[in-house]
Each structure stands twice: as structure tokens, then as C-alpha cells.
Amino acid sequence: MIRRNQRTGELAYYRCWNRQPVPLARLVKVAGRRWSTEENFQSAKTLTGLDQHQVRSWRSWHRWTLLAMLAHAFLTVSAVTQPDDPAPTELIALTRNEIRRLFTTLVSAPVHTLRHRMHWSHWRRRHQYRARRSHYQRRTQPTP
């Protein structure tokens, strides 16, 4: 299977094999799962410090990894279970990054008022919505 980048024209090759014939749509779906898995690991490293442990023993590494993955699962479930349209139309939905940021600022020693923190979250999500909309508009334009 060959995938071509729409913008650069770069080709990516996948070697696929199965005992029985498989529809192309299923092959594409399986190949695409690789990217979501890599993104989830990268997100876990960034959000929950999955890669911050200094290994000294198997038991401590196992506990650290389990704790980081549970924290990442908490953020993921919190983001997925948000109501479909809780926010005004010019905001993106709450993401794992935003939930972690809000959770951290609400739990840690308050530096600013709750109103200030919620206003800052609203501003950031509105900015991300506009950036995403602009990105999608640019991608739908035909390449020269």
C-alpha cells in the first residue's frame, strides 16, 4: 500500500499481508491507527510525564508508568465525556491539554482568581478554534 502526502507529494510505503483478502478500506484504517497510537504516547509523555522517570528498579518504573497512564486515561475520559456542545460556537471543545491546565491551576496554590483562570481558558480555546478553522480552510484549497 502506498500513501501520498497531498501537500509535498512524498510517498510512504506499507507492506501489508493477510491470509485472506482484505478490503482496502480496512488496510487504510489499520495503517492509520499507527499514527493515533504514536500521538497518544507523545501526549502521555508531554501531559503526564511518562518519560520523566529515572529507572532504578522494575517496581518503581512499573508504578510510575501505571500512574502516568492512569493520569492520561483520566484526561482522555474527561475530554471525551464532555457534552457535545457545551461552549459557544467559537471555541474548541475541552482538550486533554486544557483539562490538565485547568486541573493543575485549580488544585495547586491559586495565583489568580477562578474567574481569571476561566477567562484565560476561554481565550485560549477561542484562539485554537480560529487557528484550526484557518488551517482547514488552507488545506481545502487546491495545491498549485
Side-chain angles (χ1 to χ4, degrees), residues 33-89:
R33 287 239 172 116
R34 174 179 174 235
W35 300 112
S36 64
T37 302
E38 287 183 13
E39 286 177 1
N40 282 331
F41 272 114
Q42 190 63 35
S43 173
K45 288 178 188 178
T46 304
L47 292 175
T48 62
L50 182 62
D51 61 345
Q52 297 297 316
H53 187 264
Q54 295 180 5
V55 177
R56 293 204 171 90
S57 71
W58 163 257
R59 186 171 286 165
S60 68
W61 175 84
H62 191 264
R63 288 177 180 166
W64 179 266
T65 303
L66 181 62
L67 182 63
M69 293 182 84
L70 284 173
H72 194 257
F74 166 76
L75 294 172
T76 301
V77 169
S78 298
V80 170
T81 58
Q82 293 298 315
D84 287 340
D85 193 16
T89 56

Side-chain angles (χ1 to χ4, degrees), residues 42-138:
Q42 190 63 35
S43 173
K45 288 178 188 178
T46 304
L47 292 175
T48 62
L50 182 62
D51 61 345
Q52 297 297 316
H53 187 264
Q54 295 180 5
V55 177
R56 293 204 171 90
S57 71
W58 163 257
R59 186 171 286 165
S60 68
W61 175 84
H62 191 264
R63 288 177 180 166
W64 179 266
T65 303
L66 181 62
L67 182 63
M69 293 182 84
L70 284 173
H72 194 257
F74 166 76
L75 294 172
T76 301
V77 169
S78 298
V80 170
T81 58
Q82 293 298 315
D84 287 340
D85 193 16
T89 56
E90 298 233 339
L91 294 178
I92 64 168
L94 284 172
T95 61
R96 292 182 288 202
N97 289 340
E98 191 63 23
I99 291 170
R100 183 191 60 86
R101 190 174 289 116
L102 286 171
F103 186 74
T104 302
T105 58
L106 293 173
V107 170
S108 65
V111 177
H112 299 288
T113 64
L114 177 62
R115 182 177 177 177
H116 172 79
R117 289 180 270 182
M118 295 306 288
H119 174 73
W120 187 240
S121 173
H122 187 295
W123 179 88
R124 210 174 14 251
R125 291 167 53 212
R126 187 177 64 235
H127 174 74
Q128 290 172 350
Y129 169 82
R130 290 177 181 164
R132 179 184 290 173
R133 186 180 60 197
S134 173
H135 173 73
Y136 287 153
Q137 286 175 350
R138 186 182 52 163

